Amino acid sequence: MKKGKVKDFLSASKEEIVDSVVESDMLPASVEEIADIVVSEGIAEIIGTLIGACAPRINGIRLSYKQNRFETRVKSALTLMAKRIDAMEENYVALTEEVQEKFRGQYVEWLLDNLEIEKQQEKVPYHVNGFINLMSNEANDNLMLMFFDTINQLTQLDIDVLSLYCRDTQENIISLCDRYNLKTEQVTVIKEKLERLGLVYCKNDEQRDKNIDEIVDYLNKVDKDQKKSKPKGVRLPNIRKPNRSTSYAITSLGRDYLKVISDK
């Protein structure tokens, strides 16, 4: 694909809006640095869409608090994209034209929708990392919608609790409770929320399901044995009592989700 400087491409496609933004003090210096990076026109268009979202309204009316918050989120997203521009470019050029069109059109619009309603500044990297890491030919509308919908439902605390189940985590439940000034009951509520989203599963429920399977298998064997002319009897199943305290473990979906929102 033909390549060109981001600023040249933006000036050609969004002259009035982009010029008013790039030349103003609305954007951080890191965004201006993007102008000197040579990338494909598709990546330039994605960045252009984000910059255009920061442009002042045509009628000059700004929704103060919400608009300022949105601009802050977009600026952070641009800064993060500048840091990961190589990975973003590498992923993008490997896409088919059809999927490329999605990422520089509909999917970047969904990213903006998420940034507009995002309440926690610290979660912006997860939105951007997900957008970049999901940039593959396996991406589709359902996958992207599921990602954006799930990240909308999670708080930074929820993600920190989910991260406790990673083997390489540096934190434990005690240090997390101290950092957030939480009680164990509050963490339990968060774990239940993560379970509803399919990111963790209850090990107690898993043991109960195994017990039920063992009992059903036992009854089937007993029924078959009794129909024999000379029944031999069937050994009792190995039933294990679930722990009194509820225990959770991360699901494959949970591990994949943490990988998607990481910057690696």
Side-chain angles (χ1 to χ4, degrees):
M1 173 178 276
K2 181 181 178 181
K3 293 188 176 183
K5 287 189 177 180
V6 174
K7 190 171 183 179
D8 293 340
F9 179 81
L10 296 181
S11 295
S13 60
K14 295 173 178 283
E15 292 181 2
E16 296 182 359
I17 296 179
V18 176
D19 285 347
S20 66
V21 178
V22 173
E23 300 303 328
S24 72
D25 58 358
M26 290 177 59
L27 300 179
S30 58
V31 176
E32 295 180 1
E33 292 175 4
I34 298 177
D36 296 325
I37 300 174
V38 179
V39 296
S40 61
E41 292 185 358
I43 295 297
E45 187 171 349
I46 291 172
I47 294 173
T49 300
L50 289 167
I51 291 179
C54 277
R57 300 303 182 204
I58 295 176
N59 59 10
I61 299 175
R62 301 175 63 186
L63 302 178
S64 58
Y65 167 69
K66 288 187 177 181
Q67 179 63 21
N68 289 335
R69 186 182 70 181
F70 176 53
E71 288 177 2
T72 300
R73 303 291 184 263
V74 175
K75 292 173 188 177
S76 296
L78 284 164
T79 301
L80 293 164
M81 283 187 175
K83 293 178 180 178
R84 297 199 62 196
I85 196 71
D86 289 337
M88 191 175 175
E89 173 73 10
E90 182 180 352
N91 290 351
Y92 181 83
V93 297
L95 303 176
T96 63
E97 289 188 13
E98 181 181 0
V99 181
Q100 283 183 345
E101 183 178 356
K102 285 281 190 177
F103 272 96
R104 67 175 183 265
Q106 188 173 45
Y107 297 161
V108 74
E109 290 174 1
W110 289 352
L111 172 62
L112 283 169
D113 288 342
N114 260 37
L115 293 176
E116 185 172 17
I117 63 176
E118 178 56 61
K119 294 181 175 62
Q120 295 183 293
Q121 172 71 24
E122 60 267 35
K123 279 179 55 190
V124 173
Y126 303 138
H127 295 271
V128 175
N129 290 334
F131 179 82
I132 296 174
N133 293 335
L134 289 173
M135 199 176 277
S136 74
N137 286 316
E138 284 69 45
N140 56 62
D141 291 359
N142 290 329
L143 176 65
M144 298 302 292
L145 283 172
M146 183 170 68
F147 165 73
F148 285 126
D149 180 63
T150 303
I151 202 68
N152 280 340
Q153 297 181 63
L154 295 173
T155 65
Q156 180 62 56
L157 175 57
D158 296 335
I159 295 172
D160 286 345
V161 172
L162 179 62
S163 299
L164 291 177
Y165 295 99
C166 291
R167 294 179 180 178
D168 58 349
T169 182
Q170 301 296 316
E171 195 164 36
N172 56 50
I173 187 66
I174 296 176
S175 61
L176 183 132
C177 286
D178 289 342
R179 181 156 63 92
Y180 280 100
N181 193 26
L182 294 173
K183 296 181 180 179
T184 54
E185 294 82 0
Q186 293 172 297
V187 177
T188 299
V189 173
I190 295 172
K191 291 179 179 180
E192 291 172 351
K193 174 183 177 180
L194 295 174
E195 182 184 16
R196 290 195 298 272
L197 293 173
L199 302 175
V200 301
Y201 68 91
C202 180
K203 297 170 80 172
N204 303 60
D205 291 341
E206 183 183 39
Q207 185 58 54
R208 292 189 187 94
D209 290 340
K210 287 182 179 179
N211 289 344
I212 292 174
D213 290 340
E214 288 282 355
I215 292 172
V216 171
D217 184 57
Y218 169 75
L219 293 175
N220 286 332
K221 289 179 179 178
V222 169
D223 182 60
K224 290 181 180 179
D225 186 65
Q226 290 178 344
K227 292 178 180 178
K228 296 178 181 179
S229 56
K230 295 182 179 180
K232 297 181 180 180
V234 181
R235 295 180 60 182
L236 290 172
N238 181 25
I239 302 297
R240 295 179 58 185
K241 185 178 180 180
N243 294 327
R244 290 186 177 181
S245 59
T246 304
S247 178
Y248 293 90
I250 194 168
T251 64
S252 58
L253 177 62
R255 284 191 293 270
D256 288 345
Y257 205 83
L258 288 177
K259 184 177 180 180
V260 164
I261 64 177
S262 72
D263 58 1
K264 299 178 181 180

